[in-house]
Amino acid sequence: AKLKRRIRKGIPDKLRGRVWNMIGGVDDFMARRPGDYQQLCEECRQRAMEEPENLVYEVIERDITRTFPRHAMFSRDSAQGREGLERQ
């Protein structure tokens, strides 16, 4: 419960990637199945390039504002939080 509250308050930008990897078990997955994570990331990048109007992005956008309606970084007036979620 304490972790959930802290996450909802916002994870600092410089820690966000490491925290989500830890919570999502990415390191364990990559250790058990070397190369699969990178392959999944590449497949997602390819799909996004082939289908720029991919509905996944619309669903994520809708879920963020619904999940964190009062979070300053994800309010409709601020794009800061949403931009921080995008991979470059």
Side-chain angles (χ1 to χ4, degrees):
K2 187 176 184 178
L3 177 62
K4 187 176 181 178
R5 280 194 315 271
R6 289 193 176 187
I7 289 172
R8 285 195 171 160
K9 285 184 179 181
I11 298 170
D13 287 342
K14 67 181 186 176
L15 299 175
R16 186 174 293 134
R18 287 193 322 202
V19 169
W20 284 116
N21 282 350
M22 185 177 66
I23 291 170
V26 172
D27 293 334
D28 293 336
F29 176 81
M30 290 182 356
R32 284 191 318 271
R33 299 175 68 176
D36 283 1
Y37 179 75
Q38 291 302 323
Q39 182 180 344
L40 288 171
C41 289
E42 184 57 34
E43 287 174 14
C44 288
R45 273 194 283 284
Q46 287 296 324
R47 275 192 226 128
M49 290 174 64
E50 292 167 6
E51 304 171 29
E53 299 299 321
N54 195 330
L55 293 177
V56 171
Y57 294 106
E58 291 177 32
V59 171
I60 291 171
E61 181 75 23
R62 194 170 48 239
D63 283 349
I64 288 172
T65 53
R66 201 172 18 211
T67 304
F68 302 109
R70 293 178 298 235
H71 197 294
M73 288 185 69
F74 300 115
S75 72
R76 295 191 188 278
D77 299 332
S78 171
Q80 179 185 5
R82 285 186 228 106
E83 289 172 359
L85 293 172
E86 294 177 6
R87 289 185 182 243
Q88 300 295 325

Coordinates of all heavy atoms in Angstrom, one line a residue:
A1 N 0.8 -1.2 0.0 CA 0.0 0.0 0.0 C 0.9 1.3 0.0 O 0.5 2.2 -0.7 CB -0.9 0.0 1.2
K2 N 2.0 1.2 0.8 CA 2.8 2.4 0.8 C 3.5 2.6 -0.5 O 3.6 3.8 -1.0 CB 3.9 2.2 1.9 CG 4.7 3.4 2.2 CD 5.7 3.1 3.4 CE 6.5 4.3 3.7 NZ 7.4 4.1 4.9
L3 N 4.0 1.6 -1.2 CA 4.6 1.7 -2.5 C 3.6 2.3 -3.5 O 3.9 3.2 -4.3 CB 5.1 0.4 -3.0 CG 5.7 0.3 -4.4 CD1 7.0 1.2 -4.4 CD2 6.1 -1.1 -4.7
K4 N 2.4 1.8 -3.5 CA 1.3 2.2 -4.4 C 1.1 3.7 -4.2 O 1.0 4.5 -5.2 CB 0.1 1.4 -4.1 CG -1.0 1.7 -5.1 CD -2.2 0.8 -4.8 CE -3.3 0.9 -5.7 NZ -4.4 0.0 -5.5
R5 N 1.0 4.2 -3.0 CA 0.8 5.6 -2.7 C 1.9 6.5 -3.2 O 1.7 7.5 -3.8 CB 0.6 5.9 -1.2 CG -0.7 5.6 -0.7 CD -1.0 6.2 0.7 NE 0.1 6.0 1.7 CZ 0.3 4.9 2.5 NH1 -0.6 3.9 2.4 NH2 1.3 4.8 3.3
R6 N 3.2 6.0 -3.0 CA 4.3 6.7 -3.5 C 4.4 6.8 -5.0 O 4.7 7.8 -5.6 CB 5.6 6.2 -2.9 CG 5.7 6.4 -1.4 CD 7.0 6.2 -0.9 NE 7.0 6.6 0.5 CZ 8.1 6.5 1.2 NH1 9.2 6.2 0.7 NH2 8.0 6.9 2.5
I7 N 4.0 5.7 -5.6 CA 4.0 5.7 -7.1 C 3.0 6.6 -7.7 O 3.2 7.4 -8.6 CB 3.8 4.2 -7.6 CG1 5.0 3.4 -7.4 CG2 3.4 4.2 -9.1 CD1 4.8 1.9 -7.7
R8 N 1.8 6.7 -7.0 CA 0.8 7.6 -7.5 C 1.2 9.0 -7.3 O 0.7 9.9 -8.0 CB -0.5 7.3 -6.8 CG -1.2 6.0 -7.3 CD -2.6 5.9 -6.9 NE -3.2 4.8 -7.7 CZ -4.2 4.2 -7.3 NH1 -4.9 4.5 -6.2 NH2 -4.7 3.2 -8.0
K9 N 2.0 9.3 -6.3 CA 2.5 10.7 -6.2 C 3.5 11.1 -7.3 O 3.7 12.3 -7.5 CB 3.2 10.9 -4.8 CG 2.2 10.9 -3.7 CD 2.9 11.2 -2.4 CE 1.9 11.2 -1.2 NZ 2.6 11.5 0.0
G10 N 4.1 10.1 -7.9 CA 5.0 10.4 -9.0 C 6.4 9.9 -8.7 O 6.9 10.1 -7.7
I11 N 6.9 9.2 -9.7 CA 8.3 8.7 -9.6 C 9.2 9.7 -10.3 O 8.9 10.1 -11.5 CB 8.4 7.3 -10.3 CG1 7.5 6.3 -9.6 CG2 9.9 6.9 -10.3 CD1 7.4 5.0 -10.3
P12 N 10.3 10.2 -9.7 CA 11.1 11.2 -10.4 C 11.6 10.6 -11.7 O 11.9 9.5 -11.9 CB 12.3 11.3 -9.4 CG 11.7 10.9 -8.1 CD 10.7 9.8 -8.4
D13 N 11.7 11.6 -12.7 CA 12.1 11.2 -14.0 C 13.4 10.3 -14.1 O 13.5 9.3 -14.8 CB 12.4 12.4 -14.9 CG 11.1 13.1 -15.2 OD1 10.0 12.5 -15.2 OD2 11.2 14.3 -15.6
K14 N 14.4 10.7 -13.3 CA 15.7 10.0 -13.4 C 15.6 8.6 -12.8 O 16.5 7.7 -13.1 CB 16.8 10.8 -12.7 CG 16.7 10.9 -11.2 CD 17.9 11.7 -10.7 CE 17.8 11.7 -9.1 NZ 19.0 12.4 -8.6
L15 N 14.6 8.3 -12.0 CA 14.4 6.9 -11.5 C 13.3 6.1 -12.1 O 13.2 4.9 -11.9 CB 14.1 7.0 -10.0 CG 15.2 7.7 -9.1 CD1 14.6 7.8 -7.7 CD2 16.4 6.9 -9.1
R16 N 12.5 6.7 -12.9 CA 11.3 6.1 -13.4 C 11.5 4.8 -14.2 O 10.9 3.8 -13.9 CB 10.5 7.1 -14.3 CG 9.2 6.5 -14.8 CD 8.3 7.5 -15.6 NE 8.0 8.6 -14.7 CZ 8.0 9.9 -15.0 NH1 8.5 10.2 -16.2 NH2 7.7 10.8 -14.1
G17 N 12.5 4.8 -15.1 CA 12.8 3.6 -15.9 C 13.2 2.4 -15.0 O 12.7 1.3 -15.2
R18 N 14.1 2.7 -14.1 CA 14.6 1.6 -13.2 C 13.5 1.1 -12.3 O 13.4 -0.1 -12.1 CB 15.8 2.2 -12.3 CG 17.0 2.3 -13.1 CD 18.2 2.5 -12.3 NE 18.0 3.4 -11.1 CZ 18.9 4.0 -10.4 NH1 20.1 4.0 -10.8 NH2 18.5 4.7 -9.4
V19 N 12.7 2.0 -11.8 CA 11.6 1.6 -10.9 C 10.6 0.7 -11.6 O 10.2 -0.4 -11.1 CB 10.9 2.8 -10.2 CG1 9.6 2.4 -9.5 CG2 11.9 3.5 -9.3
W20 N 10.2 1.1 -12.8 CA 9.2 0.3 -13.5 C 9.8 -1.0 -14.0 O 9.1 -2.0 -14.0 CB 8.6 1.1 -14.7 CG 7.6 2.1 -14.2 CD1 7.7 3.5 -14.3 CD2 6.4 1.9 -13.5 NE1 6.6 4.1 -13.7 CE2 5.8 3.1 -13.2 CE3 5.7 0.7 -13.1 CZ2 4.6 3.2 -12.6 CZ3 4.5 0.9 -12.4 CH2 4.0 2.1 -12.2
N21 N 11.1 -1.0 -14.3 CA 11.7 -2.3 -14.7 C 11.7 -3.2 -13.5 O 11.5 -4.4 -13.6 CB 13.1 -2.1 -15.2 CG 13.2 -1.6 -16.6 OD1 12.2 -1.6 -17.3 ND2 14.3 -1.1 -17.0
M22 N 12.0 -2.7 -12.3 CA 12.1 -3.5 -11.1 C 10.7 -4.0 -10.7 O 10.5 -5.2 -10.5 CB 12.6 -2.7 -9.9 CG 12.8 -3.5 -8.7 SD 13.5 -2.5 -7.3 CE 12.2 -1.3 -7.1
I23 N 9.7 -3.1 -10.7 CA 8.3 -3.5 -10.4 C 7.7 -4.5 -11.4 O 7.1 -5.5 -11.1 CB 7.4 -2.3 -10.3 CG1 7.8 -1.5 -9.1 CG2 5.9 -2.7 -10.2 CD1 7.1 -0.1 -9.0
G24 N 8.1 -4.3 -12.7 CA 7.6 -5.2 -13.7 C 8.4 -6.5 -13.9 O 8.0 -7.4 -14.7
G25 N 9.4 -6.7 -13.2 CA 10.2 -7.9 -13.2 C 11.0 -8.0 -14.5 O 11.3 -9.1 -15.0
V26 N 11.3 -6.9 -15.2 CA 12.0 -6.9 -16.5 C 13.4 -7.6 -16.3 O 13.8 -8.4 -17.2 CB 12.2 -5.5 -17.0 CG1 13.1 -5.4 -18.3 CG2 10.8 -4.9 -17.3
D27 N 14.2 -7.2 -15.3 CA 15.5 -7.8 -15.1 C 15.4 -9.3 -15.0 O 16.2 -10.1 -15.6 CB 16.2 -7.2 -13.9 CG 16.5 -5.7 -14.1 OD1 16.7 -5.3 -15.3 OD2 16.6 -5.0 -13.1
D28 N 14.4 -9.9 -14.2 CA 14.3 -11.3 -14.1 C 13.9 -11.9 -15.4 O 14.4 -13.0 -15.8 CB 13.2 -11.6 -13.1 CG 13.6 -11.3 -11.7 OD1 14.8 -11.2 -11.4 OD2 12.7 -11.0 -10.8
F29 N 13.0 -11.3 -16.2 CA 12.6 -11.8 -17.5 C 13.8 -11.8 -18.4 O 14.0 -12.8 -19.1 CB 11.5 -10.9 -18.1 CG 11.1 -11.3 -19.5 CD1 10.2 -12.3 -19.7 CD2 11.6 -10.6 -20.6 CE1 9.8 -12.6 -21.0 CE2 11.2 -10.9 -21.8 CZ 10.3 -11.9 -22.0
M30 N 14.6 -10.8 -18.4 CA 15.7 -10.7 -19.3 C 16.8 -11.8 -19.0 O 17.4 -12.3 -19.8 CB 16.3 -9.3 -19.3 CG 15.4 -8.3 -20.0 SD 16.0 -6.6 -20.2 CE 17.5 -6.4 -19.4
A31 N 16.9 -12.1 -17.7 CA 17.9 -13.1 -17.2 C 17.4 -14.5 -17.6 O 18.2 -15.3 -18.0 CB 18.1 -13.0 -15.7
R32 N 16.1 -14.7 -17.5 CA 15.6 -16.0 -17.9 C 15.5 -16.3 -19.4 O 15.7 -17.4 -19.8 CB 14.2 -16.2 -17.3 CG 14.1 -16.5 -15.8 CD 12.7 -16.9 -15.4 NE 11.6 -16.2 -16.0 CZ 11.1 -15.0 -15.5 NH1 11.6 -14.5 -14.4 NH2 10.1 -14.5 -16.1
R33 N 15.3 -15.2 -20.1 CA 15.1 -15.3 -21.6 C 15.9 -14.2 -22.3 O 15.4 -13.3 -22.8 CB 13.6 -15.2 -21.9 CG 12.8 -16.3 -21.2 CD 11.4 -16.2 -21.4 NE 11.0 -16.4 -22.8 CZ 9.8 -16.4 -23.3 NH1 8.8 -16.2 -22.5 NH2 9.6 -16.7 -24.5
P34 N 17.2 -14.4 -22.4 CA 18.1 -13.4 -23.0 C 17.7 -13.1 -24.4 O 17.3 -14.0 -25.2 CB 19.5 -14.0 -23.0 CG 19.4 -15.2 -22.1 CD 18.0 -15.6 -22.0
G35 N 17.6 -11.8 -24.8 CA 17.3 -11.4 -26.1 C 15.8 -11.2 -26.4 O 15.4 -10.5 -27.2
D36 N 14.9 -11.9 -25.6 CA 13.5 -11.7 -25.8 C 13.0 -10.3 -25.6 O 12.1 -9.8 -26.3 CB 12.7 -12.7 -24.9 CG 12.8 -14.2 -25.5 OD1 13.4 -14.4 -26.5 OD2 12.1 -15.0 -24.8
Y37 N 13.5 -9.7 -24.5 CA 13.0 -8.3 -24.2 C 13.3 -7.4 -25.3 O 12.4 -6.6 -25.7 CB 13.6 -7.9 -22.8 CG 13.1 -6.5 -22.5 CD1 11.8 -6.3 -22.0 CD2 14.0 -5.4 -22.6 CE1 11.4 -5.0 -21.7 CE2 13.5 -4.1 -22.3 CZ 12.3 -3.9 -21.8 OH 11.8 -2.7 -21.5
Q38 N 14.5 -7.4 -25.8 CA 14.9 -6.5 -26.9 C 14.1 -6.8 -28.1 O 13.7 -5.9 -28.8 CB 16.4 -6.7 -27.2 CG 17.3 -6.1 -26.1 CD 17.0 -4.6 -25.8 OE1 16.7 -3.8 -26.7 NE2 17.1 -4.2 -24.6
Q39 N 13.8 -8.1 -28.4 CA 13.0 -8.5 -29.5 C 11.6 -7.9 -29.4 O 11.0 -7.4 -30.3 CB 13.0 -10.0 -29.7 CG 12.2 -10.4 -30.9 CD 12.1 -11.9 -31.0 OE1 12.9 -12.7 -30.4 NE2 11.2 -12.4 -31.8
L40 N 11.0 -8.0 -28.2 CA 9.7 -7.4 -27.9 C 9.7 -5.9 -28.2 O 8.8 -5.4 -28.8 CB 9.2 -7.8 -26.5 CG 8.8 -9.2 -26.3 CD1 8.6 -9.4 -24.8 CD2 7.6 -9.6 -27.0
C41 N 10.7 -5.3 -27.6 CA 10.8 -3.8 -27.8 C 10.9 -3.4 -29.3 O 10.2 -2.5 -29.8 CB 12.0 -3.2 -27.1 SG 11.8 -3.2 -25.3
E42 N 11.7 -4.2 -30.0 CA 11.9 -3.9 -31.5 C 10.6 -4.2 -32.2 O 10.2 -3.4 -33.1 CB 13.0 -4.8 -32.0 CG 13.3 -4.5 -33.5 CD 13.7 -3.0 -33.8 OE1 14.3 -2.4 -32.9 OE2 13.3 -2.5 -34.9
E43 N 9.9 -5.2 -31.9 CA 8.6 -5.5 -32.6 C 7.6 -4.4 -32.3 O 6.9 -4.0 -33.2 CB 8.0 -6.8 -32.1 CG 8.7 -8.1 -32.6 CD 8.3 -9.4 -32.0 OE1 7.2 -9.4 -31.3 OE2 9.0 -10.4 -32.1
C44 N 7.6 -3.9 -31.1 CA 6.7 -2.8 -30.8 C 7.0 -1.5 -31.5 O 6.2 -0.8 -32.0 CB 6.7 -2.5 -29.3 SG 5.8 -3.8 -28.3
R45 N 8.3 -1.2 -31.6 CA 8.8 -0.1 -32.4 C 8.4 -0.2 -33.8 O 7.9 0.8 -34.5 CB 10.3 0.1 -32.3 CG 10.7 0.9 -31.1 CD 12.2 1.3 -31.2 NE 13.2 0.2 -30.9 CZ 13.4 -0.2 -29.7 NH1 12.9 0.3 -28.7 NH2 14.3 -1.2 -29.5
Q46 N 8.6 -1.4 -34.4 CA 8.2 -1.6 -35.8 C 6.7 -1.4 -36.0 O 6.3 -0.8 -37.0 CB 8.6 -3.0 -36.2 CG 10.1 -3.2 -36.4 CD 10.6 -2.3 -37.5 OE1 10.0 -2.1 -38.6 NE2 11.8 -1.8 -37.3
R47 N 5.9 -2.0 -35.1 CA 4.4 -1.8 -35.3 C 4.0 -0.3 -35.2 O 3.2 0.1 -35.9 CB 3.7 -2.6 -34.2 CG 3.5 -4.0 -34.6 CD 2.5 -4.7 -33.7 NE 3.1 -6.0 -33.4 CZ 3.3 -6.5 -32.2 NH1 2.9 -5.8 -31.1 NH2 3.8 -7.6 -32.0
A48 N 4.7 0.4 -34.3 CA 4.3 1.8 -34.1 C 4.7 2.6 -35.4 O 4.0 3.5 -35.8 CB 5.1 2.4 -32.9
M49 N 5.8 2.2 -36.0 CA 6.2 2.9 -37.2 C 5.3 2.6 -38.4 O 5.0 3.4 -39.2 CB 7.7 2.6 -37.6 CG 8.7 3.2 -36.6 SD 10.4 2.7 -36.8 CE 10.7 3.3 -38.5
E50 N 4.9 1.3 -38.5 CA 4.0 0.9 -39.5 C 2.6 1.4 -39.4 O 1.9 1.6 -40.4 CB 4.0 -0.7 -39.6 CG 5.3 -1.3 -40.0 CD 5.4 -2.8 -39.8 OE1 4.4 -3.4 -39.4 OE2 6.5 -3.3 -40.0
E51 N 2.2 1.6 -38.1 CA 0.8 2.0 -37.9 C 0.8 3.2 -37.0 O 0.6 3.1 -35.8 CB 0.0 0.9 -37.2 CG 0.0 -0.4 -37.9 CD -0.6 -1.6 -37.1 OE1 -1.4 -1.3 -36.2 OE2 -0.2 -2.7 -37.3
P52 N 1.2 4.4 -37.5 CA 1.3 5.6 -36.7 C 0.0 5.9 -35.9 O 0.1 6.6 -34.9 CB 1.7 6.7 -37.6 CG 1.5 6.1 -39.0 CD 1.4 4.7 -38.9
E53 N -1.1 5.5 -36.4 CA -2.4 5.8 -35.7 C -2.8 4.7 -34.8 O -4.0 4.4 -34.6 CB -3.5 6.1 -36.8 CG -3.2 7.3 -37.7 CD -3.0 8.6 -36.9 OE1 -3.8 8.8 -35.9 OE2 -2.1 9.4 -37.2
N54 N -1.8 4.0 -34.3 CA -2.1 2.8 -33.5 C -3.0 3.1 -32.3 O -2.8 4.0 -31.6 CB -0.7 2.3 -33.0 CG -0.8 0.9 -32.4 OD1 -1.8 0.5 -31.9 ND2 0.3 0.1 -32.6
L55 N -4.0 2.3 -32.2 CA -5.0 2.5 -31.1 C -4.4 2.3 -29.7 O -5.0 2.9 -28.7 CB -6.2 1.6 -31.3 CG -7.0 1.8 -32.5 CD1 -8.1 0.8 -32.6 CD2 -7.7 3.2 -32.4
V56 N -3.3 1.7 -29.6 CA -2.7 1.4 -28.3 C -2.4 2.8 -27.6 O -2.7 3.0 -26.4 CB -1.4 0.6 -28.4 CG1 -0.7 0.5 -27.1 CG2 -1.7 -0.8 -28.9
Y57 N -1.9 3.7 -28.4 CA -1.5 5.0 -27.8 C -2.8 5.7 -27.3 O -2.7 6.4 -26.3 CB -0.8 5.9 -28.8 CG 0.6 5.3 -29.1 CD1 0.8 4.7 -30.3 CD2 1.6 5.3 -28.2 CE1 2.1 4.1 -30.6 CE2 2.8 4.8 -28.5 CZ 3.1 4.2 -29.7 OH 4.3 3.6 -29.9
E58 N -3.9 5.6 -28.0 CA -5.1 6.2 -27.6 C -5.6 5.6 -26.3 O -6.1 6.3 -25.4 CB -6.2 6.1 -28.7 CG -5.9 6.9 -29.9 CD -7.0 6.7 -31.0 OE1 -8.1 6.4 -30.6 OE2 -6.6 6.8 -32.2
V59 N -5.5 4.3 -26.2 CA -5.9 3.6 -25.0 C -5.1 4.0 -23.8 O -5.6 4.3 -22.7 CB -5.9 2.1 -25.2 CG1 -6.1 1.3 -23.9 CG2 -6.9 1.7 -26.2
I60 N -3.8 4.1 -24.0 CA -2.9 4.5 -22.9 C -3.2 5.9 -22.5 O -3.3 6.2 -21.3 CB -1.4 4.4 -23.3 CG1 -1.0 2.9 -23.5 CG2 -0.5 5.1 -22.3 CD1 0.3 2.7 -24.1
E61 N -3.4 6.8 -23.4 CA -3.7 8.2 -23.1 C -5.0 8.3 -22.2 O -5.0 9.0 -21.2 CB -3.9 9.0 -24.4 CG -4.2 10.4 -24.2 CD -3.0 11.2 -23.8 OE1 -1.9 10.8 -24.0 OE2 -3.2 12.3 -23.2
R62 N -6.0 7.5 -22.6 CA -7.2 7.5 -21.9 C -7.1 6.9 -20.5 O -7.6 7.5 -19.5 CB -8.3 6.8 -22.7 CG -9.7 6.9 -22.3 CD -10.7 6.3 -23.3 NE -10.4 5.0 -23.7 CZ -10.1 4.6 -24.9 NH1 -10.2 5.4 -25.9 NH2 -9.9 3.3 -25.2
D63 N -6.3 5.9 -20.4 CA -6.1 5.2 -19.1 C -5.3 6.1 -18.1 O -5.6 6.0 -16.9 CB -5.4 3.9 -19.3 CG -6.4 2.8 -19.8 OD1 -7.6 3.0 -19.8 OD2 -5.9 1.7 -20.1
I64 N -4.4 6.8 -18.6 CA -3.6 7.6 -17.7 C -4.4 8.7 -17.1 O -4.4 8.8 -15.8 CB -2.4 8.3 -18.5 CG1 -1.4 7.3 -18.9 CG2 -1.8 9.4 -17.7 CD1 -0.3 7.8 -19.8
T65 N -5.2 9.4 -17.8 CA -6.1 10.4 -17.2 C -7.2 9.8 -16.3 O -7.5 10.4 -15.3 CB -6.7 11.3 -18.3 OG1 -7.4 10.5 -19.2 CG2 -5.6 12.2 -19.0
R66 N -7.6 8.6 -16.7 CA -8.6 7.9 -15.9 C -8.0 7.4 -14.6 O -8.6 7.4 -13.5 CB -9.2 6.8 -16.7 CG -10.6 6.4 -16.2 CD -11.3 5.4 -17.1 NE -10.4 4.7 -18.1 CZ -10.8 4.3 -19.2 NH1 -12.1 4.5 -19.6 NH2 -10.0 3.7 -20.1
T67 N -6.8 6.9 -14.7 CA -6.1 6.3 -13.5 C -5.6 7.3 -12.5 O -5.7 7.1 -11.3 CB -5.0 5.4 -14.0 OG1 -5.4 4.4 -14.9 CG2 -4.3 4.7 -12.8
F68 N -5.1 8.4 -13.1 CA -4.6 9.5 -12.2 C -5.3 10.8 -12.5 O -4.7 11.8 -12.9 CB -3.1 9.6 -12.5 CG -2.3 8.4 -12.3 CD1 -1.8 7.7 -13.4 CD2 -2.0 7.9 -11.0 CE1 -1.0 6.5 -13.2 CE2 -1.3 6.7 -10.8 CZ -0.8 6.1 -11.9
P69 N -6.6 10.9 -12.2 CA -7.3 12.1 -12.5 C -6.9 13.4 -11.8 O -7.0 14.5 -12.3 CB -8.8 11.7 -12.1 CG -8.6 10.7 -11.1 CD -7.4 9.9 -11.5
R70 N -6.2 13.2 -10.6 CA -5.8 14.4 -9.9 C -4.3 14.6 -9.9 O -3.8 15.5 -9.2 CB -6.3 14.3 -8.4 CG -7.8 14.4 -8.4 CD -8.3 14.3 -7.0 NE -7.9 13.0 -6.5 CZ -8.8 12.1 -5.9 NH1 -10.0 12.4 -5.8 NH2 -8.3 10.9 -5.5
H71 N -3.6 13.7 -10.6 CA -2.1 13.8 -10.6 C -1.7 15.0 -11.5 O -2.1 15.0 -12.7 CB -1.5 12.5 -11.1 CG -0.1 12.3 -10.8 ND1 0.9 13.1 -11.3 CD2 0.6 11.5 -10.0 CE1 2.1 12.8 -10.9 NE2 1.9 11.8 -10.0
A72 N -0.9 15.9 -11.0 CA -0.6 17.1 -11.7 C 0.2 16.8 -13.0 O 0.0 17.5 -14.0 CB 0.3 18.0 -10.8
M73 N 1.0 15.8 -13.0 CA 1.8 15.5 -14.2 C 0.9 14.9 -15.3 O 1.3 14.9 -16.5 CB 2.9 14.5 -13.9 CG 4.0 15.1 -13.1 SD 5.4 14.0 -12.8 CE 6.1 13.9 -14.5
F74 N -0.2 14.3 -15.0 CA -1.0 13.7 -16.0 C -2.4 14.4 -16.3 O -3.3 13.9 -16.9 CB -1.3 12.3 -15.7 CG -0.1 11.4 -15.5 CD1 0.3 10.9 -14.3 CD2 0.7 11.2 -16.6 CE1 1.4 10.2 -14.2 CE2 1.9 10.5 -16.5 CZ 2.3 10.0 -15.3
S75 N -2.5 15.6 -15.8 CA -3.7 16.4 -16.0 C -3.8 16.8 -17.5 O -2.8 16.8 -18.2 CB -3.7 17.7 -15.2 OG -2.8 18.6 -15.7
R76 N -5.0 17.1 -17.9 CA -5.2 17.4 -19.3 C -4.5 18.7 -19.7 O -4.2 19.0 -20.9 CB -6.7 17.5 -19.6 CG -7.4 16.2 -19.5 CD -8.8 16.3 -20.0 NE -9.6 15.1 -19.7 CZ -9.5 14.0 -20.4 NH1 -8.7 13.9 -21.5 NH2 -10.2 12.9 -20.1
D77 N -4.2 19.6 -18.7 CA -3.5 20.8 -18.9 C -2.0 20.7 -19.0 O -1.3 21.6 -19.4 CB -3.9 21.8 -17.8 CG -5.3 22.1 -17.8 OD1 -6.0 22.0 -18.8 OD2 -5.8 22.5 -16.7
S78 N -1.5 19.5 -18.6 CA 0.0 19.3 -18.6 C 0.3 18.1 -19.4 O -0.2 17.0 -19.2 CB 0.5 19.2 -17.2 OG 1.8 18.8 -17.2
A79 N 1.3 18.3 -20.3 CA 1.7 17.1 -21.1 C 3.0 16.6 -20.6 O 3.5 15.6 -21.1 CB 2.0 17.6 -22.6
Q80 N 3.6 17.1 -19.5 CA 4.9 16.7 -19.0 C 4.9 15.3 -18.6 O 5.8 14.6 -19.0 CB 5.2 17.6 -17.7 CG 6.5 17.2 -17.1 CD 6.7 17.9 -15.8 OE1 5.9 18.7 -15.3 NE2 7.9 17.7 -15.2
G81 N 3.9 14.8 -17.9 CA 4.0 13.4 -17.5 C 3.8 12.4 -18.7 O 4.5 11.4 -18.8
R82 N 2.9 12.7 -19.6 CA 2.7 11.9 -20.8 C 4.0 11.8 -21.6 O 4.4 10.8 -22.1 CB 1.5 12.3 -21.6 CG 0.2 12.0 -20.9 CD -0.9 12.3 -21.8 NE -1.9 13.1 -20.9 CZ -2.1 14.4 -21.0 NH1 -1.5 15.1 -21.9 NH2 -3.0 14.9 -20.2
E83 N 4.6 13.0 -21.8 CA 5.9 13.0 -22.6 C 7.0 12.2 -22.0 O 7.8 11.6 -22.6 CB 6.3 14.4 -22.8 CG 5.4 15.2 -23.8 CD 5.7 16.7 -23.8 OE1 6.6 17.1 -23.1 OE2 5.0 17.4 -24.6
G84 N 7.0 12.2 -20.6 CA 8.0 11.4 -19.9 C 7.8 9.9 -20.1 O 8.8 9.2 -19.9
L85 N 6.6 9.5 -20.4 CA 6.4 8.1 -20.6 C 6.9 7.6 -22.0 O 7.1 6.4 -22.2 CB 4.9 7.7 -20.5 CG 4.3 7.9 -19.1 CD1 2.8 7.8 -19.2 CD2 4.9 7.0 -18.1
E86 N 7.0 8.4 -22.9 CA 7.3 8.0 -24.3 C 8.8 7.7 -24.4 O 9.7 8.4 -23.8 CB 7.0 9.2 -25.3 CG 5.6 9.4 -25.4 CD 5.3 10.6 -26.3 OE1 6.2 11.1 -27.0 OE2 4.1 11.0 -26.4
R87 N 9.1 6.6 -25.1 CA 10.5 6.2 -25.3 C 11.0 7.0 -26.5 O 10.3 7.1 -27.5 CB 10.6 4.7 -25.5 CG 10.4 3.9 -24.3 CD 10.6 2.5 -24.6 NE 10.3 1.7 -23.5 CZ 11.2 1.0 -22.8 NH1 12.5 1.0 -23.3 NH2 10.9 0.3 -21.7
Q88 N 12.3 7.4 -26.4 CA 12.9 8.1 -27.6 C 13.7 7.1 -28.4 O 14.3 6.2 -28.0 CB 13.8 9.2 -27.1 CG 13.0 10.2 -26.3 CD 11.9 10.9 -27.1 OE1 12.2 11.2 -28.3 NE2 10.8 11.2 -26.5

